[in-house]
Short mmCIF file of all heavy atoms in Angstrom, two decimals:
data_model
loop_
_atom_site.label_atom_id
_atom_site.label_comp_id
_atom_site.label_asym_id
_atom_site.label_seq_id
_atom_site.Cartn_x
_atom_site.Cartn_y
_atom_site.Cartn_z
N ASP A 1 110.10 105.13 78.62
CA ASP A 1 109.72 103.90 79.31
C ASP A 1 110.07 103.97 80.79
O ASP A 1 109.33 103.46 81.63
CB ASP A 1 110.41 102.70 78.66
CG ASP A 1 109.83 101.37 79.12
OD1 ASP A 1 108.60 101.20 79.01
OD2 ASP A 1 110.61 100.52 79.59
N ASP A 2 111.19 104.63 81.11
CA ASP A 2 111.57 104.81 82.52
C ASP A 2 110.57 105.71 83.24
O ASP A 2 110.24 105.49 84.41
CB ASP A 2 112.97 105.42 82.63
CG ASP A 2 114.05 104.50 82.07
OD1 ASP A 2 113.95 103.29 82.31
OD2 ASP A 2 114.97 105.00 81.40
N VAL A 3 110.09 106.75 82.53
CA VAL A 3 109.09 107.65 83.12
C VAL A 3 107.81 106.88 83.41
O VAL A 3 107.18 107.07 84.46
CB VAL A 3 108.81 108.84 82.18
CG1 VAL A 3 107.65 109.69 82.71
CG2 VAL A 3 110.06 109.70 82.02
N ARG A 4 107.43 105.99 82.50
CA ARG A 4 106.23 105.18 82.71
C ARG A 4 106.38 104.30 83.95
O ARG A 4 105.45 104.18 84.75
CB ARG A 4 105.96 104.32 81.46
CG ARG A 4 104.71 103.47 81.55
CD ARG A 4 104.29 102.94 80.18
NE ARG A 4 105.34 102.16 79.53
CZ ARG A 4 105.23 101.66 78.31
NH1 ARG A 4 104.13 101.89 77.59
NH2 ARG A 4 106.20 100.95 77.77
N ARG A 5 107.54 103.69 84.12
CA ARG A 5 107.79 102.86 85.30
C ARG A 5 107.73 103.70 86.58
O ARG A 5 107.15 103.29 87.59
CB ARG A 5 109.17 102.20 85.20
CG ARG A 5 109.27 101.04 84.23
CD ARG A 5 110.73 100.65 84.11
NE ARG A 5 110.94 99.49 83.26
CZ ARG A 5 111.21 98.27 83.70
NH1 ARG A 5 111.29 98.06 84.99
NH2 ARG A 5 111.41 97.27 82.88
N LEU A 6 108.38 104.87 86.52
CA LEU A 6 108.41 105.76 87.68
C LEU A 6 107.00 106.18 88.08
O LEU A 6 106.64 106.17 89.26
CB LEU A 6 109.27 106.98 87.38
CG LEU A 6 109.33 108.05 88.47
CD1 LEU A 6 110.04 107.51 89.72
CD2 LEU A 6 110.03 109.31 87.98
N LEU A 7 106.19 106.54 87.09
CA LEU A 7 104.81 106.95 87.38
C LEU A 7 104.04 105.83 88.06
O LEU A 7 103.25 106.08 88.98
CB LEU A 7 104.11 107.35 86.08
CG LEU A 7 104.10 108.83 85.74
CD1 LEU A 7 103.53 109.04 84.34
CD2 LEU A 7 103.29 109.61 86.76
N ALA A 8 104.23 104.60 87.60
CA ALA A 8 103.52 103.47 88.20
C ALA A 8 103.88 103.33 89.68
O ALA A 8 103.01 103.08 90.53
CB ALA A 8 103.84 102.18 87.45
N VAL A 9 105.17 103.54 90.01
CA VAL A 9 105.61 103.44 91.40
C VAL A 9 105.01 104.58 92.24
O VAL A 9 104.51 104.37 93.36
CB VAL A 9 107.14 103.47 91.48
CG1 VAL A 9 107.61 103.60 92.92
CG2 VAL A 9 107.72 102.21 90.86
N LEU A 10 105.03 105.79 91.69
CA LEU A 10 104.50 106.94 92.43
C LEU A 10 102.99 106.80 92.65
O LEU A 10 102.48 107.11 93.73
CB LEU A 10 104.81 108.23 91.67
CG LEU A 10 106.29 108.55 91.47
CD1 LEU A 10 106.45 109.85 90.70
CD2 LEU A 10 107.03 108.63 92.80
N GLN A 11 102.28 106.34 91.63
CA GLN A 11 100.83 106.14 91.78
C GLN A 11 100.54 105.10 92.84
O GLN A 11 99.58 105.21 93.62
CB GLN A 11 100.21 105.72 90.43
CG GLN A 11 100.29 106.75 89.32
CD GLN A 11 99.29 107.88 89.46
OE1 GLN A 11 98.72 108.11 90.53
NE2 GLN A 11 99.08 108.63 88.38
N ARG A 12 101.40 104.07 92.91
CA ARG A 12 101.20 103.02 93.92
C ARG A 12 101.39 103.58 95.33
O ARG A 12 100.66 103.23 96.26
CB ARG A 12 102.16 101.87 93.67
CG ARG A 12 101.78 100.60 94.44
CD ARG A 12 102.73 99.48 94.13
NE ARG A 12 103.86 99.50 95.04
CZ ARG A 12 104.98 98.82 94.83
NH1 ARG A 12 105.12 98.13 93.72
NH2 ARG A 12 105.96 98.86 95.70
N LEU A 13 102.39 104.45 95.48
CA LEU A 13 102.60 105.07 96.79
C LEU A 13 101.38 105.85 97.23
O LEU A 13 100.98 105.80 98.40
CB LEU A 13 103.81 106.00 96.73
CG LEU A 13 105.20 105.36 96.78
CD1 LEU A 13 106.28 106.40 96.53
CD2 LEU A 13 105.43 104.66 98.11
N VAL A 14 100.77 106.58 96.30
CA VAL A 14 99.58 107.37 96.63
C VAL A 14 98.40 106.45 96.94
O VAL A 14 97.61 106.72 97.85
CB VAL A 14 99.25 108.35 95.50
CG1 VAL A 14 98.00 109.16 95.84
CG2 VAL A 14 100.42 109.31 95.26
N ASP A 15 98.27 105.37 96.18
CA ASP A 15 97.18 104.41 96.43
C ASP A 15 97.24 103.83 97.83
O ASP A 15 96.22 103.42 98.39
CB ASP A 15 97.22 103.28 95.40
CG ASP A 15 96.80 103.72 94.00
OD1 ASP A 15 96.11 104.77 93.91
OD2 ASP A 15 97.16 103.05 93.03
N LEU A 16 98.44 103.81 98.42
CA LEU A 16 98.62 103.26 99.77
C LEU A 16 98.33 104.29 100.86
O LEU A 16 98.56 104.03 102.03
CB LEU A 16 100.05 102.73 99.93
CG LEU A 16 100.40 101.49 99.08
CD1 LEU A 16 101.88 101.19 99.15
CD2 LEU A 16 99.58 100.29 99.54
N GLY A 17 97.87 105.49 100.44
CA GLY A 17 97.49 106.50 101.42
C GLY A 17 98.52 107.58 101.66
O GLY A 17 98.38 108.38 102.59
N ASN A 18 99.56 107.61 100.83
CA ASN A 18 100.61 108.61 100.98
C ASN A 18 100.37 109.79 100.03
O ASN A 18 99.47 109.77 99.19
CB ASN A 18 101.97 107.98 100.69
CG ASN A 18 102.27 106.80 101.58
OD1 ASN A 18 102.37 106.93 102.79
ND2 ASN A 18 102.38 105.62 100.98
N THR A 19 101.20 110.80 100.16
CA THR A 19 101.16 111.97 99.28
C THR A 19 102.51 112.08 98.59
O THR A 19 103.56 111.94 99.22
CB THR A 19 100.90 113.25 100.08
OG1 THR A 19 99.69 113.11 100.82
CG2 THR A 19 100.79 114.46 99.15
N VAL A 20 102.49 112.30 97.27
CA VAL A 20 103.72 112.50 96.51
C VAL A 20 103.68 113.89 95.90
O VAL A 20 102.76 114.23 95.15
CB VAL A 20 103.89 111.43 95.42
CG1 VAL A 20 105.14 111.74 94.58
CG2 VAL A 20 104.00 110.04 96.03
N LEU A 21 104.69 114.71 96.24
CA LEU A 21 104.80 116.08 95.73
C LEU A 21 106.03 116.16 94.84
O LEU A 21 107.15 115.88 95.28
CB LEU A 21 104.91 117.07 96.90
CG LEU A 21 105.13 118.54 96.54
CD1 LEU A 21 103.97 119.07 95.72
CD2 LEU A 21 105.31 119.37 97.82
N LEU A 22 105.83 116.54 93.59
CA LEU A 22 106.90 116.60 92.61
C LEU A 22 107.15 118.04 92.18
O LEU A 22 106.20 118.81 91.98
CB LEU A 22 106.54 115.78 91.36
CG LEU A 22 106.03 114.36 91.55
CD1 LEU A 22 105.50 113.83 90.24
CD2 LEU A 22 107.15 113.47 92.04
N VAL A 23 108.42 118.39 92.00
CA VAL A 23 108.77 119.60 91.25
C VAL A 23 109.20 119.09 89.89
O VAL A 23 110.20 118.39 89.77
CB VAL A 23 109.91 120.38 91.94
CG1 VAL A 23 110.32 121.57 91.09
CG2 VAL A 23 109.50 120.82 93.33
N GLU A 24 108.44 119.40 88.87
CA GLU A 24 108.64 118.72 87.59
C GLU A 24 108.15 119.55 86.42
O GLU A 24 107.22 120.35 86.55
CB GLU A 24 107.92 117.36 87.63
CG GLU A 24 108.17 116.45 86.46
CD GLU A 24 109.65 116.16 86.24
OE1 GLU A 24 110.21 115.29 86.93
OE2 GLU A 24 110.23 116.84 85.37
N HIS A 25 108.79 119.32 85.24
CA HIS A 25 108.36 119.97 84.00
C HIS A 25 107.93 118.96 82.94
O HIS A 25 107.41 119.35 81.90
CB HIS A 25 109.50 120.79 83.39
CG HIS A 25 110.05 121.84 84.30
ND1 HIS A 25 111.16 121.64 85.08
CD2 HIS A 25 109.63 123.10 84.55
CE1 HIS A 25 111.41 122.74 85.76
NE2 HIS A 25 110.51 123.63 85.48
N ASN A 26 108.22 117.69 83.17
CA ASN A 26 107.92 116.67 82.16
C ASN A 26 106.42 116.61 81.89
O ASN A 26 105.60 116.45 82.80
CB ASN A 26 108.43 115.31 82.66
CG ASN A 26 108.23 114.21 81.64
OD1 ASN A 26 107.13 113.69 81.50
ND2 ASN A 26 109.29 113.86 80.95
N LEU A 27 106.04 116.74 80.62
CA LEU A 27 104.62 116.80 80.27
C LEU A 27 103.88 115.50 80.56
O LEU A 27 102.71 115.52 80.94
CB LEU A 27 104.47 117.16 78.79
CG LEU A 27 104.72 118.64 78.44
CD1 LEU A 27 104.75 118.83 76.93
CD2 LEU A 27 103.65 119.52 79.06
N ASP A 28 104.56 114.36 80.40
CA ASP A 28 103.91 113.09 80.70
C ASP A 28 103.61 112.97 82.19
O ASP A 28 102.61 112.35 82.58
CB ASP A 28 104.79 111.91 80.25
CG ASP A 28 104.76 111.72 78.74
OD1 ASP A 28 103.65 111.79 78.16
OD2 ASP A 28 105.83 111.52 78.15
N ILE A 29 104.46 113.55 83.03
CA ILE A 29 104.19 113.58 84.47
C ILE A 29 103.04 114.54 84.75
O ILE A 29 102.09 114.21 85.48
CB ILE A 29 105.45 114.00 85.26
CG1 ILE A 29 106.55 112.95 85.14
CG2 ILE A 29 105.09 114.27 86.72
CD1 ILE A 29 106.33 111.70 85.95
N MET A 30 103.12 115.74 84.17
CA MET A 30 102.10 116.76 84.45
C MET A 30 100.71 116.30 84.05
O MET A 30 99.73 116.55 84.75
CB MET A 30 102.46 118.06 83.73
CG MET A 30 103.59 118.83 84.39
SD MET A 30 103.69 120.55 83.82
CE MET A 30 104.55 120.35 82.28
N LYS A 31 100.60 115.60 82.93
CA LYS A 31 99.27 115.17 82.49
C LYS A 31 98.72 114.04 83.35
O LYS A 31 97.52 113.77 83.32
CB LYS A 31 99.32 114.71 81.03
CG LYS A 31 99.93 113.33 80.81
CD LYS A 31 99.92 112.89 79.37
CE LYS A 31 100.40 111.45 79.22
NZ LYS A 31 100.46 111.02 77.81
N SER A 32 99.60 113.38 84.13
CA SER A 32 99.20 112.19 84.89
C SER A 32 98.91 112.46 86.35
O SER A 32 98.42 111.58 87.05
CB SER A 32 100.30 111.11 84.80
OG SER A 32 100.59 110.78 83.46
N VAL A 33 99.22 113.68 86.84
CA VAL A 33 99.04 113.95 88.27
C VAL A 33 97.58 114.31 88.57
O VAL A 33 96.78 114.56 87.67
CB VAL A 33 99.98 115.08 88.75
CG1 VAL A 33 101.43 114.72 88.47
CG2 VAL A 33 99.62 116.41 88.09
N ASP A 34 97.27 114.36 89.86
CA ASP A 34 95.92 114.73 90.28
C ASP A 34 95.75 116.25 90.38
O ASP A 34 94.66 116.77 90.20
CB ASP A 34 95.62 114.11 91.65
CG ASP A 34 95.76 112.60 91.64
OD1 ASP A 34 95.15 111.96 90.77
OD2 ASP A 34 96.50 112.06 92.49
N TRP A 35 96.84 116.94 90.69
CA TRP A 35 96.74 118.37 90.99
C TRP A 35 98.03 119.07 90.57
O TRP A 35 99.12 118.55 90.80
CB TRP A 35 96.52 118.57 92.48
CG TRP A 35 95.99 119.91 92.89
CD1 TRP A 35 96.70 120.92 93.47
CD2 TRP A 35 94.66 120.38 92.79
NE1 TRP A 35 95.89 121.99 93.73
CE2 TRP A 35 94.62 121.69 93.31
CE3 TRP A 35 93.48 119.82 92.29
CZ2 TRP A 35 93.46 122.44 93.37
CZ3 TRP A 35 92.32 120.56 92.33
CH2 TRP A 35 92.31 121.86 92.87
N ILE A 36 97.91 120.24 89.95
CA ILE A 36 99.07 121.02 89.52
C ILE A 36 99.03 122.38 90.20
O ILE A 36 97.99 123.03 90.25
CB ILE A 36 99.10 121.21 87.99
CG1 ILE A 36 99.28 119.86 87.28
CG2 ILE A 36 100.23 122.16 87.59
CD1 ILE A 36 99.30 119.97 85.76
N ILE A 37 100.19 122.79 90.72
CA ILE A 37 100.36 124.13 91.28
C ILE A 37 101.33 124.86 90.36
O ILE A 37 102.50 124.48 90.24
CB ILE A 37 100.91 124.06 92.72
CG1 ILE A 37 99.90 123.35 93.63
CG2 ILE A 37 101.24 125.45 93.25
CD1 ILE A 37 100.46 122.94 94.97
N ASP A 38 100.84 125.89 89.68
CA ASP A 38 101.61 126.56 88.63
C ASP A 38 102.07 127.93 89.09
O ASP A 38 101.25 128.78 89.47
CB ASP A 38 100.74 126.69 87.37
CG ASP A 38 101.54 127.12 86.16
OD1 ASP A 38 102.74 126.78 86.09
OD2 ASP A 38 100.97 127.78 85.27
N LEU A 39 103.39 128.15 89.07
CA LEU A 39 103.98 129.42 89.47
C LEU A 39 104.45 130.20 88.24
O LEU A 39 104.71 129.62 87.19
CB LEU A 39 105.15 129.20 90.42
CG LEU A 39 104.87 128.44 91.72
CD1 LEU A 39 106.14 128.32 92.56
CD2 LEU A 39 103.76 129.10 92.53
N GLY A 40 104.59 131.50 88.39
CA GLY A 40 105.06 132.31 87.26
C GLY A 40 104.71 133.77 87.45
O GLY A 40 104.61 134.24 88.59
N PRO A 41 104.42 134.51 86.35
CA PRO A 41 104.39 134.01 84.97
C PRO A 41 105.76 133.89 84.33
O PRO A 41 105.93 133.17 83.35
CB PRO A 41 103.55 135.07 84.25
CG PRO A 41 103.80 136.32 85.03
CD PRO A 41 103.96 135.90 86.46
N GLU A 42 106.76 134.60 84.88
CA GLU A 42 108.12 134.54 84.34
C GLU A 42 109.06 134.09 85.44
O GLU A 42 108.63 133.62 86.49
CB GLU A 42 108.53 135.92 83.79
CG GLU A 42 107.65 136.43 82.66
CD GLU A 42 107.75 135.57 81.40
OE1 GLU A 42 108.80 134.91 81.23
OE2 GLU A 42 106.80 135.57 80.59
#
């Protein structure tokens, strides 16, 4: 539920014309973003 609240705030920041860059592994975050930059493979 906290992740859901956080996502709503981050999406609002972007809606206002800003850019939000996350370093993240949470799948609920990853599925909700506009763009993913994937590094690896190991």
Side-chain angles (χ1 to χ4, degrees):
D1 193 54
D2 296 320
V3 173
R4 182 165 58 184
R5 285 172 177 256
L6 177 66
L7 264 173
V9 171
L10 298 180
Q11 296 283 17
R12 195 179 89 195
L13 282 173
V14 179
D15 288 339
L16 293 171
N18 303 296
T19 304
V20 176
L21 176 61
L22 311 170
V23 176
E24 188 56 82
H25 302 96
N26 183 281
L27 284 171
D28 284 316
I29 294 285
M30 285 196 279
K31 77 178 186 183
S32 303
V33 302
D34 303 307
W35 198 256
I36 295 179
I37 297 166
D38 191 31
L39 302 181
E42 299 294 335

